[in-house]
Amino acid sequence: NYTSSNAHLAILQLHIHATTLTIHSHCLTSTPAPAFPDPVAQIQRLESLWATFTAVKSWFGVFLSLDTFPLARYPHVSIATLTQLGHCLAALYRLTLFESPDVPWCGGRVRVELDIGDVTRLLAERWDAVSRADGDEEGLHPWPHATKRALGIGSWWEGKVSKLGPRTSDGVSGEGGEVREAVAGPVVPEQQQIEALEFDAVDIDILDDPWMMDLLGGGYDLNMEPQLW
């Protein structure tokens, strides 16, 4: 059964993973190759990349679990949690496309384990379900807009990676596999395109409330009373 203690534990886990992401996100910054090889710096950056990826997978593993975050709790999710969501999406995007001449990193493996398209489609499915359950006939709730925006990100992302060829999922397990299994079900509403620059501009190092507010269509109350979620 779902309890208040489960809610507190889930929020604590999200904050821990988000903090880990913040600590290690410096590794995603594009830097020129050093004049002379620095093996220690290379190892440290690679470790930070893996720590960042692990934090992102773990964050989504908690947030996308219906046992931990049932749909009934979505309308009460705090702006801090939604901001973490934006940061995790931005980090996942950068991890997938990350390239550095001095650091061996495989963005293809990132995409196989946890793909932005899978995540955004699942988010859209959840938000669409919340919107239908709310019965928002006057269009005042943010969820319909958030659904379209999430689908827009996913659609744009699929176009961006279409040149990379099909993914292979052999041997993949953990949160990434669970996300793909979850999105293999219902079809969600219409898709719309967004500009790549709009998503590239998300800053994972600060609380980027304006971007998340735009995702939610301005219908989210920043001043609502604090909730467990």
Side-chain angles (χ1 to χ4, degrees), residues 189-227:
E190 66 179 285
Q191 301 187 19
Q192 64 181 34
Q193 298 289 340
I194 63 171
E195 294 296 328
L197 177 62
E198 189 173 4
F199 190 59
D200 290 339
V202 178
D203 189 343
I204 63 175
D205 300 320
I206 61 173
L207 290 179
D208 194 56
D209 291 345
W211 187 86
M212 187 54 64
M213 285 292 291
D214 181 61
L215 176 66
L216 294 171
Y220 194 89
D221 185 4
L222 273 172
N223 300 313
M224 74 175 184
E225 291 297 320
Q227 302 284 336

PDB file of all heavy atoms in Angstrom, residues 189-227:
ATOM      1  N   PRO A 189      -1.665  11.364 -27.768  1.00  0.00           N
ATOM      2  CA  PRO A 189      -2.178  12.294 -28.766  1.00  0.00           C
ATOM      3  C   PRO A 189      -1.157  12.832 -29.757  1.00  0.00           C
ATOM      4  O   PRO A 189       0.003  12.480 -29.731  1.00  0.00           O
ATOM      5  CB  PRO A 189      -2.743  13.430 -27.905  1.00  0.00           C
ATOM      6  CG  PRO A 189      -2.997  12.818 -26.588  1.00  0.00           C
ATOM      7  CD  PRO A 189      -1.946  11.778 -26.416  1.00  0.00           C
ATOM      8  N   GLU A 190      -1.638  13.764 -30.580  1.00  0.00           N
ATOM      9  CA  GLU A 190      -0.885  14.302 -31.693  1.00  0.00           C
ATOM     10  C   GLU A 190       0.489  14.817 -31.286  1.00  0.00           C
ATOM     11  O   GLU A 190       0.715  15.234 -30.167  1.00  0.00           O
ATOM     12  CB  GLU A 190      -1.661  15.471 -32.316  1.00  0.00           C
ATOM     13  CG  GLU A 190      -1.787  16.655 -31.365  1.00  0.00           C
ATOM     14  CD  GLU A 190      -2.521  17.803 -31.988  1.00  0.00           C
ATOM     15  OE1 GLU A 190      -1.919  18.483 -32.831  1.00  0.00           O
ATOM     16  OE2 GLU A 190      -3.671  18.006 -31.622  1.00  0.00           O
ATOM     17  N   GLN A 191       1.423  14.782 -32.245  1.00  0.00           N
ATOM     18  CA  GLN A 191       2.763  15.261 -32.004  1.00  0.00           C
ATOM     19  C   GLN A 191       2.936  16.626 -32.647  1.00  0.00           C
ATOM     20  O   GLN A 191       2.272  16.978 -33.599  1.00  0.00           O
ATOM     21  CB  GLN A 191       3.787  14.280 -32.567  1.00  0.00           C
ATOM     22  CG  GLN A 191       3.670  12.882 -31.974  1.00  0.00           C
ATOM     23  CD  GLN A 191       4.801  11.994 -32.432  1.00  0.00           C
ATOM     24  OE1 GLN A 191       5.831  12.461 -32.891  1.00  0.00           O
ATOM     25  NE2 GLN A 191       4.606  10.696 -32.307  1.00  0.00           N
ATOM     26  N   GLN A 192       3.882  17.391 -32.099  1.00  0.00           N
ATOM     27  CA  GLN A 192       4.205  18.676 -32.701  1.00  0.00           C
ATOM     28  C   GLN A 192       5.708  18.887 -32.609  1.00  0.00           C
ATOM     29  O   GLN A 192       6.355  18.397 -31.700  1.00  0.00           O
ATOM     30  CB  GLN A 192       3.482  19.824 -31.990  1.00  0.00           C
ATOM     31  CG  GLN A 192       3.886  20.014 -30.539  1.00  0.00           C
ATOM     32  CD  GLN A 192       3.116  21.137 -29.882  1.00  0.00           C
ATOM     33  OE1 GLN A 192       1.969  21.361 -30.185  1.00  0.00           O
ATOM     34  NE2 GLN A 192       3.750  21.840 -28.987  1.00  0.00           N
ATOM     35  N   GLN A 193       6.255  19.588 -33.585  1.00  0.00           N
ATOM     36  CA  GLN A 193       7.684  19.818 -33.629  1.00  0.00           C
ATOM     37  C   GLN A 193       8.062  21.017 -32.765  1.00  0.00           C
ATOM     38  O   GLN A 193       7.297  21.953 -32.617  1.00  0.00           O
ATOM     39  CB  GLN A 193       8.125  20.081 -35.077  1.00  0.00           C
ATOM     40  CG  GLN A 193       7.879  18.921 -36.012  1.00  0.00           C
ATOM     41  CD  GLN A 193       8.804  17.755 -35.742  1.00  0.00           C
ATOM     42  OE1 GLN A 193       9.839  17.930 -35.125  1.00  0.00           O
ATOM     43  NE2 GLN A 193       8.422  16.574 -36.201  1.00  0.00           N
ATOM     44  N   ILE A 194       9.273  20.971 -32.200  1.00  0.00           N
ATOM     45  CA  ILE A 194       9.825  22.136 -31.509  1.00  0.00           C
ATOM     46  C   ILE A 194      11.215  22.378 -32.048  1.00  0.00           C
ATOM     47  O   ILE A 194      11.833  21.496 -32.630  1.00  0.00           O
ATOM     48  CB  ILE A 194       9.882  21.937 -29.976  1.00  0.00           C
ATOM     49  CG1 ILE A 194      10.833  20.775 -29.633  1.00  0.00           C
ATOM     50  CG2 ILE A 194       8.522  21.717 -29.406  1.00  0.00           C
ATOM     51  CD1 ILE A 194      11.105  20.661 -28.157  1.00  0.00           C
ATOM     52  N   GLU A 195      11.705  23.587 -31.870  1.00  0.00           N
ATOM     53  CA  GLU A 195      13.038  23.918 -32.349  1.00  0.00           C
ATOM     54  C   GLU A 195      14.087  23.268 -31.454  1.00  0.00           C
ATOM     55  O   GLU A 195      13.970  23.242 -30.241  1.00  0.00           O
ATOM     56  CB  GLU A 195      13.234  25.439 -32.350  1.00  0.00           C
ATOM     57  CG  GLU A 195      12.330  26.162 -33.341  1.00  0.00           C
ATOM     58  CD  GLU A 195      12.650  25.765 -34.769  1.00  0.00           C
ATOM     59  OE1 GLU A 195      13.817  25.478 -35.056  1.00  0.00           O
ATOM     60  OE2 GLU A 195      11.726  25.740 -35.590  1.00  0.00           O
ATOM     61  N   ALA A 196      15.162  22.759 -32.071  1.00  0.00           N
ATOM     62  CA  ALA A 196      16.218  22.105 -31.301  1.00  0.00           C
ATOM     63  C   ALA A 196      16.850  23.069 -30.303  1.00  0.00           C
ATOM     64  O   ALA A 196      17.169  22.708 -29.184  1.00  0.00           O
ATOM     65  CB  ALA A 196      17.285  21.566 -32.257  1.00  0.00           C
ATOM     66  N   LEU A 197      17.023  24.319 -30.699  1.00  0.00           N
ATOM     67  CA  LEU A 197      17.659  25.296 -29.835  1.00  0.00           C
ATOM     68  C   LEU A 197      16.916  25.447 -28.525  1.00  0.00           C
ATOM     69  O   LEU A 197      17.510  25.671 -27.472  1.00  0.00           O
ATOM     70  CB  LEU A 197      17.728  26.648 -30.553  1.00  0.00           C
ATOM     71  CG  LEU A 197      18.319  27.816 -29.753  1.00  0.00           C
ATOM     72  CD1 LEU A 197      19.767  27.497 -29.390  1.00  0.00           C
ATOM     73  CD2 LEU A 197      18.248  29.115 -30.544  1.00  0.00           C
ATOM     74  N   GLU A 198      15.610  25.288 -28.569  1.00  0.00           N
ATOM     75  CA  GLU A 198      14.789  25.448 -27.376  1.00  0.00           C
ATOM     76  C   GLU A 198      15.166  24.415 -26.320  1.00  0.00           C
ATOM     77  O   GLU A 198      15.214  24.714 -25.134  1.00  0.00           O
ATOM     78  CB  GLU A 198      13.321  25.310 -27.757  1.00  0.00           C
ATOM     79  CG  GLU A 198      12.353  25.671 -26.654  1.00  0.00           C
ATOM     80  CD  GLU A 198      10.927  25.672 -27.146  1.00  0.00           C
ATOM     81  OE1 GLU A 198      10.708  25.313 -28.315  1.00  0.00           O
ATOM     82  OE2 GLU A 198      10.043  26.037 -26.371  1.00  0.00           O
ATOM     83  N   PHE A 199      15.439  23.203 -26.741  1.00  0.00           N
ATOM     84  CA  PHE A 199      15.808  22.166 -25.795  1.00  0.00           C
ATOM     85  C   PHE A 199      17.288  22.248 -25.453  1.00  0.00           C
ATOM     86  O   PHE A 199      17.694  21.988 -24.325  1.00  0.00           O
ATOM     87  CB  PHE A 199      15.477  20.797 -26.375  1.00  0.00           C
ATOM     88  CG  PHE A 199      15.597  19.673 -25.373  1.00  0.00           C
ATOM     89  CD1 PHE A 199      14.829  19.686 -24.217  1.00  0.00           C
ATOM     90  CD2 PHE A 199      16.465  18.624 -25.571  1.00  0.00           C
ATOM     91  CE1 PHE A 199      14.930  18.666 -23.281  1.00  0.00           C
ATOM     92  CE2 PHE A 199      16.567  17.592 -24.655  1.00  0.00           C
ATOM     93  CZ  PHE A 199      15.798  17.622 -23.508  1.00  0.00           C
ATOM     94  N   ASP A 200      18.123  22.623 -26.413  1.00  0.00           N
ATOM     95  CA  ASP A 200      19.551  22.771 -26.151  1.00  0.00           C
ATOM     96  C   ASP A 200      19.817  23.801 -25.067  1.00  0.00           C
ATOM     97  O   ASP A 200      20.816  23.737 -24.357  1.00  0.00           O
ATOM     98  CB  ASP A 200      20.293  23.208 -27.427  1.00  0.00           C
ATOM     99  CG  ASP A 200      20.325  22.092 -28.463  1.00  0.00           C
ATOM    100  OD1 ASP A 200      20.156  20.929 -28.077  1.00  0.00           O
ATOM    101  OD2 ASP A 200      20.534  22.406 -29.640  1.00  0.00           O
ATOM    102  N   ALA A 201      18.918  24.774 -24.947  1.00  0.00           N
ATOM    103  CA  ALA A 201      19.143  25.894 -24.045  1.00  0.00           C
ATOM    104  C   ALA A 201      18.882  25.565 -22.590  1.00  0.00           C
ATOM    105  O   ALA A 201      19.152  26.381 -21.717  1.00  0.00           O
ATOM    106  CB  ALA A 201      18.263  27.080 -24.470  1.00  0.00           C
ATOM    107  N   VAL A 202      18.360  24.383 -22.286  1.00  0.00           N
ATOM    108  CA  VAL A 202      18.071  24.042 -20.895  1.00  0.00           C
ATOM    109  C   VAL A 202      19.369  23.951 -20.109  1.00  0.00           C
ATOM    110  O   VAL A 202      20.303  23.267 -20.510  1.00  0.00           O
ATOM    111  CB  VAL A 202      17.322  22.699 -20.803  1.00  0.00           C
ATOM    112  CG1 VAL A 202      17.068  22.337 -19.342  1.00  0.00           C
ATOM    113  CG2 VAL A 202      16.015  22.780 -21.551  1.00  0.00           C
ATOM    114  N   ASP A 203      19.441  24.651 -19.000  1.00  0.00           N
ATOM    115  CA  ASP A 203      20.629  24.677 -18.165  1.00  0.00           C
ATOM    116  C   ASP A 203      20.435  23.709 -17.012  1.00  0.00           C
ATOM    117  O   ASP A 203      19.546  23.892 -16.186  1.00  0.00           O
ATOM    118  CB  ASP A 203      20.875  26.096 -17.635  1.00  0.00           C
ATOM    119  CG  ASP A 203      22.214  26.221 -16.934  1.00  0.00           C
ATOM    120  OD1 ASP A 203      22.796  25.177 -16.586  1.00  0.00           O
ATOM    121  OD2 ASP A 203      22.671  27.356 -16.720  1.00  0.00           O
ATOM    122  N   ILE A 204      21.280  22.672 -16.914  1.00  0.00           N
ATOM    123  CA  ILE A 204      21.110  21.680 -15.865  1.00  0.00           C
ATOM    124  C   ILE A 204      21.789  22.091 -14.572  1.00  0.00           C
ATOM    125  O   ILE A 204      21.715  21.377 -13.579  1.00  0.00           O
ATOM    126  CB  ILE A 204      21.653  20.304 -16.305  1.00  0.00           C
ATOM    127  CG1 ILE A 204      23.157  20.385 -16.549  1.00  0.00           C
ATOM    128  CG2 ILE A 204      20.914  19.790 -17.507  1.00  0.00           C
ATOM    129  CD1 ILE A 204      23.786  19.044 -16.857  1.00  0.00           C
ATOM    130  N   ASP A 205      22.444  23.244 -14.567  1.00  0.00           N
ATOM    131  CA  ASP A 205      23.179  23.658 -13.381  1.00  0.00           C
ATOM    132  C   ASP A 205      22.383  24.607 -12.491  1.00  0.00           C
ATOM    133  O   ASP A 205      22.831  24.955 -11.401  1.00  0.00           O
ATOM    134  CB  ASP A 205      24.493  24.344 -13.782  1.00  0.00           C
ATOM    135  CG  ASP A 205      25.389  23.405 -14.588  1.00  0.00           C
ATOM    136  OD1 ASP A 205      25.448  22.222 -14.223  1.00  0.00           O
ATOM    137  OD2 ASP A 205      26.005  23.856 -15.557  1.00  0.00           O
ATOM    138  N   ILE A 206      21.224  25.072 -12.943  1.00  0.00           N
ATOM    139  CA  ILE A 206      20.432  26.007 -12.153  1.00  0.00           C
ATOM    140  C   ILE A 206      18.977  25.551 -12.149  1.00  0.00           C
ATOM    141  O   ILE A 206      18.588  24.680 -12.917  1.00  0.00           O
ATOM    142  CB  ILE A 206      20.510  27.446 -12.714  1.00  0.00           C
ATOM    143  CG1 ILE A 206      19.950  27.483 -14.137  1.00  0.00           C
ATOM    144  CG2 ILE A 206      21.923  27.982 -12.663  1.00  0.00           C
ATOM    145  CD1 ILE A 206      19.843  28.892 -14.690  1.00  0.00           C
ATOM    146  N   LEU A 207      18.176  26.136 -11.270  1.00  0.00           N
ATOM    147  CA  LEU A 207      16.759  25.840 -11.260  1.00  0.00           C
ATOM    148  C   LEU A 207      16.118  26.597 -12.407  1.00  0.00           C
ATOM    149  O   LEU A 207      15.871  27.792 -12.331  1.00  0.00           O
ATOM    150  CB  LEU A 207      16.137  26.250  -9.920  1.00  0.00           C
ATOM    151  CG  LEU A 207      16.535  25.395  -8.733  1.00  0.00           C
ATOM    152  CD1 LEU A 207      15.861  25.917  -7.468  1.00  0.00           C
ATOM    153  CD2 LEU A 207      16.157  23.929  -8.945  1.00  0.00           C
ATOM    154  N   ASP A 208      15.874  25.889 -13.497  1.00  0.00           N
ATOM    155  CA  ASP A 208      15.425  26.524 -14.732  1.00  0.00           C
ATOM    156  C   ASP A 208      13.906  26.563 -14.787  1.00  0.00           C
ATOM    157  O   ASP A 208      13.275  25.968 -15.634  1.00  0.00           O
ATOM    158  CB  ASP A 208      16.008  25.752 -15.920  1.00  0.00           C
ATOM    159  CG  ASP A 208      15.885  26.529 -17.218  1.00  0.00           C
ATOM    160  OD1 ASP A 208      16.371  27.658 -17.274  1.00  0.00           O
ATOM    161  OD2 ASP A 208      15.283  26.003 -18.156  1.00  0.00           O
ATOM    162  N   ASP A 209      13.308  27.279 -13.856  1.00  0.00           N
ATOM    163  CA  ASP A 209      11.856  27.306 -13.753  1.00  0.00           C
ATOM    164  C   ASP A 209      11.159  27.803 -15.019  1.00  0.00           C
ATOM    165  O   ASP A 209      10.139  27.252 -15.405  1.00  0.00           O
ATOM    166  CB  ASP A 209      11.423  28.180 -12.565  1.00  0.00           C
ATOM    167  CG  ASP A 209      11.795  27.536 -11.240  1.00  0.00           C
ATOM    168  OD1 ASP A 209      12.108  26.342 -11.245  1.00  0.00           O
ATOM    169  OD2 ASP A 209      11.789  28.242 -10.229  1.00  0.00           O
ATOM    170  N   PRO A 210      11.645  28.861 -15.699  1.00  0.00           N
ATOM    171  CA  PRO A 210      10.934  29.344 -16.891  1.00  0.00           C
ATOM    172  C   PRO A 210      10.757  28.260 -17.954  1.00  0.00           C
ATOM    173  O   PRO A 210       9.706  28.170 -18.577  1.00  0.00           O
ATOM    174  CB  PRO A 210      11.823  30.492 -17.395  1.00  0.00           C
ATOM    175  CG  PRO A 210      12.501  30.984 -16.161  1.00  0.00           C
ATOM    176  CD  PRO A 210      12.767  29.746 -15.348  1.00  0.00           C
ATOM    177  N   TRP A 211      11.766  27.429 -18.183  1.00  0.00           N
ATOM    178  CA  TRP A 211      11.651  26.377 -19.185  1.00  0.00           C
ATOM    179  C   TRP A 211      10.580  25.377 -18.785  1.00  0.00           C
ATOM    180  O   TRP A 211       9.758  24.968 -19.598  1.00  0.00           O
ATOM    181  CB  TRP A 211      12.997  25.678 -19.347  1.00  0.00           C
ATOM    182  CG  TRP A 211      13.006  24.680 -20.478  1.00  0.00           C
ATOM    183  CD1 TRP A 211      13.269  24.924 -21.789  1.00  0.00           C
ATOM    184  CD2 TRP A 211      12.710  23.277 -20.389  1.00  0.00           C
ATOM    185  NE1 TRP A 211      13.168  23.758 -22.521  1.00  0.00           N
ATOM    186  CE2 TRP A 211      12.836  22.737 -21.695  1.00  0.00           C
ATOM    187  CE3 TRP A 211      12.380  22.422 -19.334  1.00  0.00           C
ATOM    188  CZ2 TRP A 211      12.633  21.403 -21.967  1.00  0.00           C
ATOM    189  CZ3 TRP A 211      12.167  21.076 -19.613  1.00  0.00           C
ATOM    190  CH2 TRP A 211      12.293  20.580 -20.912  1.00  0.00           C
ATOM    191  N   MET A 212      10.576  24.974 -17.519  1.00  0.00           N
ATOM    192  CA  MET A 212       9.581  24.010 -17.076  1.00  0.00           C
ATOM    193  C   MET A 212       8.191  24.624 -17.081  1.00  0.00           C
ATOM    194  O   MET A 212       7.205  23.962 -17.400  1.00  0.00           O
ATOM    195  CB  MET A 212       9.930  23.491 -15.681  1.00  0.00           C
ATOM    196  CG  MET A 212       9.034  22.352 -15.209  1.00  0.00           C
ATOM    197  SD  MET A 212       8.949  20.956 -16.374  1.00  0.00           S
ATOM    198  CE  MET A 212      10.655  20.399 -16.356  1.00  0.00           C
ATOM    199  N   MET A 213       8.092  25.906 -16.752  1.00  0.00           N
ATOM    200  CA  MET A 213       6.804  26.582 -16.797  1.00  0.00           C
ATOM    201  C   MET A 213       6.260  26.598 -18.222  1.00  0.00           C
ATOM    202  O   MET A 213       5.067  26.433 -18.452  1.00  0.00           O
ATOM    203  CB  MET A 213       6.927  28.011 -16.261  1.00  0.00           C
ATOM    204  CG  MET A 213       7.049  28.089 -14.752  1.00  0.00           C
ATOM    205  SD  MET A 213       5.509  27.590 -13.934  1.00  0.00           S
ATOM    206  CE  MET A 213       4.456  28.961 -14.397  1.00  0.00           C
ATOM    207  N   ASP A 214       7.165  26.787 -19.191  1.00  0.00           N
ATOM    208  CA  ASP A 214       6.738  26.778 -20.586  1.00  0.00           C
ATOM    209  C   ASP A 214       6.270  25.384 -20.983  1.00  0.00           C
ATOM    210  O   ASP A 214       5.291  25.222 -21.720  1.00  0.00           O
ATOM    211  CB  ASP A 214       7.886  27.224 -21.493  1.00  0.00           C
ATOM    212  CG  ASP A 214       7.473  27.262 -22.957  1.00  0.00           C
ATOM    213  OD1 ASP A 214       6.550  28.028 -23.275  1.00  0.00           O
ATOM    214  OD2 ASP A 214       8.056  26.531 -23.759  1.00  0.00           O
ATOM    215  N   LEU A 215       6.966  24.354 -20.484  1.00  0.00           N
ATOM    216  CA  LEU A 215       6.557  22.990 -20.772  1.00  0.00           C
ATOM    217  C   LEU A 215       5.151  22.728 -20.261  1.00  0.00           C
ATOM    218  O   LEU A 215       4.342  22.065 -20.906  1.00  0.00           O
ATOM    219  CB  LEU A 215       7.529  22.002 -20.122  1.00  0.00           C
ATOM    220  CG  LEU A 215       7.185  20.509 -20.250  1.00  0.00           C
ATOM    221  CD1 LEU A 215       7.268  20.073 -21.711  1.00  0.00           C
ATOM    222  CD2 LEU A 215       8.118  19.666 -19.399  1.00  0.00           C
ATOM    223  N   LEU A 216       4.836  23.304 -19.098  1.00  0.00           N
ATOM    224  CA  LEU A 216       3.523  23.097 -18.488  1.00  0.00           C
ATOM    225  C   LEU A 216       2.497  24.114 -18.965  1.00  0.00           C
ATOM    226  O   LEU A 216       1.364  24.134 -18.495  1.00  0.00           O
ATOM    227  CB  LEU A 216       3.647  23.151 -16.963  1.00  0.00           C
ATOM    228  CG  LEU A 216       4.463  22.011 -16.354  1.00  0.00           C
ATOM    229  CD1 LEU A 216       4.705  22.271 -14.876  1.00  0.00           C
ATOM    230  CD2 LEU A 216       3.763  20.679 -16.545  1.00  0.00           C
ATOM    231  N   GLY A 217       2.891  24.999 -19.860  1.00  0.00           N
ATOM    232  CA  GLY A 217       1.949  25.929 -20.463  1.00  0.00           C
ATOM    233  C   GLY A 217       1.518  27.055 -19.548  1.00  0.00           C
ATOM    234  O   GLY A 217       0.493  27.701 -19.779  1.00  0.00           O
ATOM    235  N   GLY A 218       2.292  27.321 -18.496  1.00  0.00           N
ATOM    236  CA  GLY A 218       1.957  28.433 -17.619  1.00  0.00           C
ATOM    237  C   GLY A 218       0.798  28.158 -16.696  1.00  0.00           C
ATOM    238  O   GLY A 218       0.353  29.033 -15.961  1.00  0.00           O
ATOM    239  N   GLY A 219       0.283  26.932 -16.684  1.00  0.00           N
ATOM    240  CA  GLY A 219      -0.870  26.624 -15.847  1.00  0.00           C
ATOM    241  C   GLY A 219      -0.520  26.041 -14.503  1.00  0.00           C
ATOM    242  O   GLY A 219      -1.393  25.629 -13.751  1.00  0.00           O
ATOM    243  N   TYR A 220       0.779  26.003 -14.202  1.00  0.00           N
ATOM    244  CA  TYR A 220       1.217  25.416 -12.938  1.00  0.00           C
ATOM    245  C   TYR A 220       1.430  26.515 -11.912  1.00  0.00           C
ATOM    246  O   TYR A 220       2.040  27.542 -12.198  1.00  0.00           O
ATOM    247  CB  TYR A 220       2.524  24.647 -13.146  1.00  0.00           C
ATOM    248  CG  TYR A 220       2.878  23.733 -11.994  1.00  0.00           C
ATOM    249  CD1 TYR A 220       2.414  22.415 -11.972  1.00  0.00           C
ATOM    250  CD2 TYR A 220       3.663  24.167 -10.942  1.00  0.00           C
ATOM    251  CE1 TYR A 220       2.732  21.565 -10.931  1.00  0.00           C
ATOM    252  CE2 TYR A 220       3.984  23.333  -9.892  1.00  0.00           C
ATOM    253  CZ  TYR A 220       3.521  22.030  -9.893  1.00  0.00           C
ATOM    254  OH  TYR A 220       3.839  21.198  -8.850  1.00  0.00           O
ATOM    255  N   ASP A 221       0.911  26.316 -10.717  1.00  0.00           N
ATOM    256  CA  ASP A 221       0.961  27.341  -9.678  1.00  0.00           C
ATOM    257  C   ASP A 221       2.254  27.236  -8.886  1.00  0.00           C
ATOM    258  O   ASP A 221       2.437  26.340  -8.069  1.00  0.00           O
ATOM    259  CB  ASP A 221      -0.238  27.184  -8.744  1.00  0.00           C
ATOM    260  CG  ASP A 221      -0.296  28.310  -7.709  1.00  0.00           C
ATOM    261  OD1 ASP A 221       0.542  29.222  -7.786  1.00  0.00           O
ATOM    262  OD2 ASP A 221      -1.178  28.253  -6.834  1.00  0.00           O
ATOM    263  N   LEU A 222       3.185  28.167  -9.124  1.00  0.00           N
ATOM    264  CA  LEU A 222       4.458  28.171  -8.407  1.00  0.00           C
ATOM    265  C   LEU A 222       4.275  28.442  -6.921  1.00  0.00           C
ATOM    266  O   LEU A 222       5.113  28.081  -6.103  1.00  0.00           O
ATOM    267  CB  LEU A 222       5.390  29.243  -8.994  1.00  0.00           C
ATOM    268  CG  LEU A 222       6.263  28.839 -10.176  1.00  0.00           C
ATOM    269  CD1 LEU A 222       6.952  30.071 -10.722  1.00  0.00           C
ATOM    270  CD2 LEU A 222       7.275  27.796  -9.776  1.00  0.00           C
ATOM    271  N   ASN A 223       3.178  29.091  -6.560  1.00  0.00           N
ATOM    272  CA  ASN A 223       2.969  29.518  -5.183  1.00  0.00           C
ATOM    273  C   ASN A 223       2.070  28.586  -4.388  1.00  0.00           C
ATOM    274  O   ASN A 223       1.638  28.934  -3.293  1.00  0.00           O
ATOM    275  CB  ASN A 223       2.357  30.932  -5.174  1.00  0.00           C
ATOM    276  CG  ASN A 223       3.264  31.939  -5.846  1.00  0.00           C
ATOM    277  OD1 ASN A 223       4.453  31.969  -5.580  1.00  0.00           O
ATOM    278  ND2 ASN A 223       2.697  32.749  -6.726  1.00  0.00           N
ATOM    279  N   MET A 224       1.793  27.400  -4.949  1.00  0.00           N
ATOM    280  CA  MET A 224       0.916  26.493  -4.225  1.00  0.00           C
ATOM    281  C   MET A 224       1.613  25.996  -2.971  1.00  0.00           C
ATOM    282  O   MET A 224       2.836  26.012  -2.855  1.00  0.00           O
ATOM    283  CB  MET A 224       0.514  25.312  -5.101  1.00  0.00           C
ATOM    284  CG  MET A 224       1.592  24.276  -5.333  1.00  0.00           C
ATOM    285  SD  MET A 224       0.946  22.882  -6.264  1.00  0.00           S
ATOM    286  CE  MET A 224       2.371  21.808  -6.268  1.00  0.00           C
ATOM    287  N   GLU A 225       0.812  25.571  -2.010  1.00  0.00           N
ATOM    288  CA  GLU A 225       1.370  25.079  -0.753  1.00  0.00           C
ATOM    289  C   GLU A 225       2.266  23.883  -0.993  1.00  0.00           C
ATOM    290  O   GLU A 225       1.998  23.041  -1.856  1.00  0.00           O
ATOM    291  CB  GLU A 225       0.224  24.679   0.195  1.00  0.00           C
ATOM    292  CG  GLU A 225      -0.585  25.862   0.697  1.00  0.00           C
ATOM    293  CD  GLU A 225       0.247  26.810   1.517  1.00  0.00           C
ATOM    294  OE1 GLU A 225       1.084  26.313   2.318  1.00  0.00           O
ATOM    295  OE2 GLU A 225       0.110  28.022   1.364  1.00  0.00           O
ATOM    296  N   PRO A 226       3.403  23.783  -0.263  1.00  0.00           N
ATOM    297  CA  PRO A 226       4.307  22.648  -0.445  1.00  0.00           C
ATOM    298  C   PRO A 226       3.587  21.317  -0.235  1.00  0.00           C
ATOM    299  O   PRO A 226       2.780  21.173   0.670  1.00  0.00           O
ATOM    300  CB  PRO A 226       5.378  22.870   0.639  1.00  0.00           C
ATOM    301  CG  PRO A 226       5.318  24.339   0.936  1.00  0.00           C
ATOM    302  CD  PRO A 226       3.877  24.729   0.762  1.00  0.00           C
ATOM    303  N   GLN A 227       3.915  20.358  -1.088  1.00  0.00           N
ATOM    304  CA  GLN A 227       3.316  19.036  -1.005  1.00  0.00           C
ATOM    305  C   GLN A 227       4.433  17.993  -0.848  1.00  0.00           C
ATOM    306  O   GLN A 227       5.602  18.285  -1.064  1.00  0.00           O
ATOM    307  CB  GLN A 227       2.519  18.726  -2.287  1.00  0.00           C
ATOM    308  CG  GLN A 227       1.424  19.732  -2.583  1.00  0.00           C
ATOM    309  CD  GLN A 227       0.210  19.538  -1.690  1.00  0.00           C
ATOM    310  OE1 GLN A 227      -0.011  18.440  -1.180  1.00  0.00           O
ATOM    311  NE2 GLN A 227      -0.575  20.580  -1.511  1.00  0.00           N
TER     312      GLN A 227
END
